[in-house]
Amino acid sequence: MTATAFRADPGIPGPGTFGSEPDDHAGIYRYDDLDRRFVAERVEQFSKQVTRRLAGELTEDEFKPLRLMNGLYLQLHAYMLRIAVPYGVLTTTQFRKLSEIGRKYDKGYGHFTTRQNLQFNWIKLEDTPAILGELAEVDMHALQTSGNCVRNVTTDQFVGASADEIVDGRVYAEILRQWTIAHPEFTYLPRKFKIAIMGSDSDRAAIRTHDVGVIAKRNEAGETGFTFYVGGGLGRSPFVGKLVREWVPEQDFAAYLEAILRVYNQYGRRDNIYKARIKILVHQLGIDKFKAEVEEEFARLPRPKFTLAPEIVEGIRARFASPGLERLPAESAEFERSKAENVEFARWSTVNLAAHKAPGYAIVSVSLKPAGGIPGDITSEQMDTLADLADRYSFGEIRVTHAQNLVLAHVRKDDLFDLWRQLDAIGLATANIGLIGDIIACPGLDYCALANARSIPLAQAISARFADPARQQAIGELGIKISGCINACGHHHVGHIGILGVDKRGEERYQITIGGDATLTTAIGDIIGPAVTEEAAVDAIDTMVEIYLANRTEGERFLDTIRRIGHGPFKESIYAAD
Amino acid sequence: MPLIEDGRPAEDSWTSVPDGEPVPGDIPAIISFERWQAERDSFAGRNTKLGVRLKGGTLAPAIAEDLDRFALVAVEFPKFRDGRGFSTARELRERYGYEGEIRAVGHVLPDQYLFLKRTGFTSVEAPEGTNLESWVNALSEVSVVYQPGLGKDDPNPLINRWLKSEAVQG
Ligand code: SF4
């Protein structure tokens, strides 16, 4: 559907607040008046709830879930507001607003999370209504970013751009977003519920670590369908998601999810918060019994009420029309020349670019992991400049990755060198995507009341130790993930090297695991020995890297070497000296 | 306890009978599910309406076979955070085709009223000391819904706006 036909349709309202043509921003779902009315009503409802709480009509116990459903957490030192970024995609208008809020109400920066959301860690309770009001101006909110409901759906950060894409996951992520908004039946689940969806064969969304992981695919007839995994999750009892159904036809996409959620809502444990996630239900029932329950429920769900008509899917797909990509030659002489002339740029190009489906374009990952920096943090100044760059080079669109980085998804190869220079000028040209410096870390004891140990200083120490970009590149793909406690928000279980903060008689210590994997070959890492101090943890990582380099064969990644030679050599070298 | 129906306080024509006390034969009475299980035969000749009260852990399939004996099913929320009741009501309606009254009892909040209504509840026994005004306001606070629900006046789900024939004007 063309942009003109799109707006001429009386049933589909045109773009709103942005005051721009739909094509100005690539692939972004635009709110219409009804979406806006919903958010405005919810903001209003929340301010009334605050009033009722203050009047004593709601107890703190009763108010808490309502506050959480509006994204407001109480952390160690202050309130934290977690803002929803549906499947991680933002317009530059929204991005600038986030920068402004960071400047006005926080300390001049924001923090991107592993849920592709943005957190402000220093919020005053009394400012929240104003912040929510400002967010609503740019069609944003903080709804369902916490609480025991279906959370923000995440997907591949390269969605709609990647050369290997089979199905555009945004369409189905958006359908799920709408389907699960204020769902009357599933807002008081036993526990939080996280869904990820992926539309290509390479799993960039850690599908099998989610409560529900979906892989969108096509069959031989060209029809779209979905493979459902259920019961993955990290936390204190990590489980890898189990296959519940290989093929769910498109029209049953929502119905199947509805069936899973209904089984969970009825039979999930509510007596123990640590056993309330769906992974425990799946584990205790066994996948076969669980599957049978879901299939029975699914078979009985009334149709056509739960059927996703092709017109609905098409209507939503039309909102993700491709940006105005030019027809370009596949190779860019300018890009090649710049690489030949500038070794830093060449390295960044090798490490931070991914293949775009359109010739002459590339996908750019912007690392928020400078050596010695705080993973996922970005200052308001950097945000403003990045927004300008996205407007100029990438159709006014910025994505958030679950690795706490950002993505400009559609950049002409001809423009890459200019873009890189300008990123470099604001400290955002770190060439380490997927490398040892690209560390995922939870907020840890610096912010989080549940933490045993700090995550951030350790991440900073590791990235400082491996600061040399040439060495990082030589080491190759290696993912370090750090959690400050067993709740595993930093996904340490699936880090190639995972680090867990523990409390040893009041001292912060770190337990190291190796061999974890977050992709479809999901594996939970192995503990290599007793917990160590922060300094020793950094040394241990250095030692493990050396062993890997000494043992690897041509083209072998860290994870491959571990799988081939086993964990023994790594354990021995670290603990031998004791 | 105050009864809310269709967004308004309403007269309660039902009497809840504690276990062990005699069940009046001439007025609509609600008994516990446990009592029903133990004494079902004693209600064989009853001509007046009977209702049954399900504890939070008693799910829809437990009562499915006997639904035609009851003009009312009361679903208990032991704690407002325990959302099983929403599925129980929905199962009663959608899976077992129950058309009688479904009443929410126990710890429920006005903030849940819209969800209760949309999952098939017809009435709510609001907790004692509740602010009735909050219940009355609760249904009109949010007018936009995104997914199909239950209830005769449930609005057209927003997701359907993409269907041209049913396009909703903002
Ligand atoms: S893993 Fe623990 S310390 Fe880190 S954010 Fe989660 S709860 Fe807090």
Side-chain angles (χ1 to χ4, degrees):
Chain A
M1 208 185 284
T2 68
T4 334
F6 183 87
R7 268 171 299 144
D9 186 330
I12 302 177
T17 47
F18 301 111
S20 51
E21 297 297 304
D23 282 352
D24 286 356
H25 294 103
I28 298 206
Y29 175 83
R30 254 144 234 291
Y31 272 26
D32 59 24
D33 294 343
L34 283 168
D35 286 304
R36 279 196 197 104
R37 195 204 295 167
F38 173 78
V39 171
E41 286 174 347
R42 284 296 301 259
V43 171
E44 182 63 32
Q45 184 186 43
F46 183 56
S47 41
K48 281 192 203 145
Q49 287 163 345
V50 172
T51 313
R52 282 165 57 219
R53 168 71 193 113
L54 294 174
E57 188 188 326
L58 287 169
T59 65
E60 179 52 31
D61 184 46
E62 290 171 335
F63 178 63
K64 189 177 165 195
L66 304 177
R67 151 167 82 68
L68 288 177
M69 259 161 233
N70 284 278
L72 196 60
Y73 265 92
L74 188 55
Q75 293 196 136
L76 212 47
H77 311 292
Y79 278 99
M80 175 269 276
L81 185 66
R82 185 183 289 156
I83 293 160
V85 180
Y87 34 93
V89 185
L90 288 161
T91 65
T92 43
T93 312
Q94 294 171 327
F95 204 73
R96 287 193 181 92
K97 175 58 85 180
L98 294 174
S99 144
E100 191 188 326
I101 291 174
R103 203 175 270 126
K104 244 163 91 182
Y105 302 103
D106 199 307
K107 297 183 170 179
Y109 57 88
H111 176 78
F112 287 102
T113 77
T114 56
R115 292 296 299 163
Q116 298 179 305
N117 288 326
L118 179 102
Q119 283 179 197
F120 288 117
N121 284 319
W122 302 96
I123 292 299
K124 294 196 195 71
L125 179 58
E126 58 269 30
D127 286 339
T128 2
I131 299 174
L132 294 178
E134 290 204 30
L135 286 172
E137 283 170 24
V138 294
D139 301 341
M140 295 189 79
H141 56 71
L143 298 172
Q144 293 181 216
T145 55
S146 36
N148 294 337
C149 53
V150 181
R151 301 287 189 84
N152 189 25
V153 176
T154 52
T155 186
D156 172 16
Q157 69 269 22
F158 298 161
V159 68
S162 177
D164 65 3
E165 183 163 282
I166 298 164
V167 175
D168 186 340
R170 286 173 302 187
V171 175
Y172 303 95
E174 174 58 27
I175 288 169
L176 283 191
R177 184 191 75 85
Q178 297 201 18
W179 195 276
T180 57
I181 287 179
H183 197 294
E185 188 178 345
F186 306 130
T187 298
Y188 294 88
L189 294 167
R191 201 77 176 84
K192 58 189 168 186
F193 201 88
K194 298 177 178 179
I195 305 174
I197 179 162
M198 189 65 221
S200 90
D201 287 336
S202 33
D203 180 7
R204 286 180 290 263
I207 292 302
R208 296 180 73 189
T209 68
H210 286 77
D211 295 291
V212 162
V214 181
I215 299 177
K217 43 174 76 162
R218 281 191 212 290
N219 64 12
E220 279 170 11
E223 296 156 338
T224 305
F226 306 89
T227 299
F228 273 73
Y229 290 93
V230 163
L234 303 172
R236 62 187 65 208
S237 14
F239 283 100
V240 175
K242 299 180 181 64
L243 179 69
V244 61
R245 203 198 237 239
E246 186 64 46
W247 180 262
V248 174
E250 181 181 76
Q251 59 170 22
D252 292 326
F253 180 53
Y256 203 75
L257 183 70
E258 192 91 7
I260 291 172
L261 278 163
R262 187 171 291 173
V263 169
Y264 172 51
N265 192 40
Q266 294 182 99
Y267 300 103
R269 287 181 62 173
R270 292 177 187 265
D271 59 330
N272 179 342
I273 178 177
Y274 299 117
K275 298 198 185 312
R277 293 289 285 269
I278 196 173
K279 62 188 176 185
I280 304 291
L281 176 67
V282 172
H283 176 70
Q284 290 182 342
L285 282 182
I287 185 65
D288 292 332
K289 178 88 169 58
F290 176 83
K291 199 167 148 172
E293 294 280 351
V294 169
E295 290 291 335
E296 190 184 344
E297 198 64 59
F298 175 64
R300 290 185 199 232
L301 275 174
R303 313 300 203 280
K305 191 173 188 172
F306 290 95
T307 303
L308 206 52
E311 304 89 274
I312 294 181
V313 181
E314 278 321 306
I316 292 197
R317 194 187 313 284
R319 311 282 282 209
F320 295 101
S322 188
L325 297 174
E326 295 167 59
R327 283 177 157 281
L328 298 173
E331 298 308 326
S332 153
E334 181 150 349
F335 174 50
E336 298 306 326
R337 190 171 51 247
S338 304
K339 279 197 290 187
E341 287 168 2
N342 186 316
V343 51
E344 293 298 316
F345 174 63
R347 177 178 300 114
W348 177 83
S349 298
T350 310
V351 174
N352 288 35
L353 299 184
H356 197 285
K357 62 184 175 189
Y361 284 86
I363 304 174
V364 173
S365 292
V366 177
S367 169
L368 298 183
K369 318 285 178 67
I374 297 178
D377 268 17
I378 183 167
T379 68
S380 290
E381 285 69 41
Q382 287 174 319
M383 289 177 85
D384 289 341
T385 308
L386 190 62
D388 293 343
L389 295 176
D391 275 339
R392 193 163 337 139
Y393 298 113
S394 193
F395 300 91
E397 187 214 81
I398 298 171
R399 289 136 181 239
V400 186
T401 81
H402 83 275
Q404 303 174 284
N405 293 312
L406 298 174
V407 163
L408 302 181
H410 317 279
V411 182
R412 286 162 31 132
K413 286 183 178 173
D414 287 348
D415 292 334
L416 284 168
F417 186 64
D418 284 345
L419 171 63
W420 173 78
R421 273 197 331 213
Q422 294 172 76
L423 287 173
D424 196 33
I426 53 169
L428 290 181
T430 310
N432 65 0
I433 296 297
L435 304 183
I436 193 165
D438 188 4
I439 299 167
I440 291 180
C442 80
L445 196 53
D446 289 298
Y447 296 102
C448 177
L450 304 172
N452 287 324
R454 287 168 299 161
S455 311
I456 292 171
L458 177 58
Q460 291 174 300
I462 298 169
S463 69
R465 172 77 64 97
F466 292 92
D468 176 6
R471 183 166 178 225
Q472 286 200 51
Q473 194 184 3
I475 297 166
E477 185 184 324
L478 202 171
I480 297 181
K481 298 178 197 270
I482 308 174
S483 304
C485 81
I486 194 67
N487 287 319
C489 304
H491 306 169
H492 65 277
H493 294 115
V494 290
H496 302 153
I497 296 177
I499 301 176
L500 166 66
V502 294
D503 177 349
K504 263 211 177 148
R505 286 172 235 105
E507 305 274 327
E508 293 170 69
R509 289 287 185 275
Y510 299 91
Q511 191 174 70
I512 301 172
T513 54
I514 55 172
D517 177 6
T519 67
L520 278 185
T521 43
T522 310
I524 306 292
D526 236 13
I527 297 173
I528 59 164
V532 297
T533 62
E534 177 186 311
E535 213 190 314
V538 181
D539 289 339
I541 290 168
D542 219 334
T543 308
M544 288 193 287
V545 166
E546 291 309 322
I547 296 170
Y548 154 65
L549 293 176
N551 284 279
R552 76 172 165 192
T553 59
E554 180 72 25
E556 214 176 39
R557 301 170 307 160
F558 180 76
L559 195 56
D560 304 324
T561 306
I562 287 187
R563 285 180 179 158
R564 182 172 52 80
I565 68 175
H567 300 175
F570 294 90
K571 293 183 189 177
E572 282 157 26
S573 64
I574 289 167
Y575 293 99
D578 292 357
Chain B
M1 268 172 262
L3 187 75
I4 317 276
E5 222 167 7
D6 293 324
R8 285 184 299 276
E11 228 19 79
D12 192 355
S13 60
W14 289 86
T15 302
S16 284
V17 185
D19 288 350
E21 286 181 24
V23 181
D26 52 347
I27 51 168
I30 304 172
I31 57 166
S32 73
F33 174 68
E34 290 69 28
R35 181 172 198 163
W36 167 251
Q37 283 180 305
E39 303 170 21
R40 55 184 300 151
D41 292 344
S42 70
F43 298 101
R46 184 178 167 94
N47 299 321
T48 321
K49 290 197 272 186
L50 193 62
V52 66
R53 179 178 175 122
L54 308 181
K55 288 224 173 72
T58 308
L59 302 174
I63 195 74
E65 299 279 294
D66 300 330
L67 280 173
D68 55 354
R69 303 291 306 276
F70 300 107
L72 176 148
V73 178
V75 177
E76 193 177 306
F77 288 74
K79 191 86 191 128
F80 76 99
R81 261 183 270 109
D82 183 339
R84 282 177 294 188
F86 296 108
S87 286
T88 306
R90 196 154 192 168
E91 291 270 85
L92 289 175
R93 295 279 186 237
E94 279 181 355
R95 182 163 173 176
Y96 301 113
Y98 183 64
E99 289 178 352
E101 179 171 348
I102 304 182
R103 177 177 291 192
V105 299
H107 189 194
V108 280
L109 304 183
D111 312 88
Q112 297 175 309
Y113 191 15
L114 184 63
F115 294 163
L116 290 169
K117 206 148 179 290
R118 300 197 64 221
T119 48
F121 285 91
T122 33
S123 63
V124 183
E125 194 181 279
E128 210 57 74
T130 205
N131 180 351
L132 285 180
E133 210 181 309
S134 297
W135 285 92
V136 172
N137 294 337
L139 290 185
S140 57
E141 277 179 349
V142 178
S143 63
V144 181
V145 301
Y146 279 86
Q147 59 297 94
L150 286 160
K152 46 187 184 313
D153 53 351
D154 200 65
N156 193 22
L158 203 41
I159 206 159
N160 275 0
R161 86 189 112 165
W162 310 115
L163 290 173
K164 284 207 182 100
S165 56
E166 296 186 54
V168 185
Q169 297 293 327

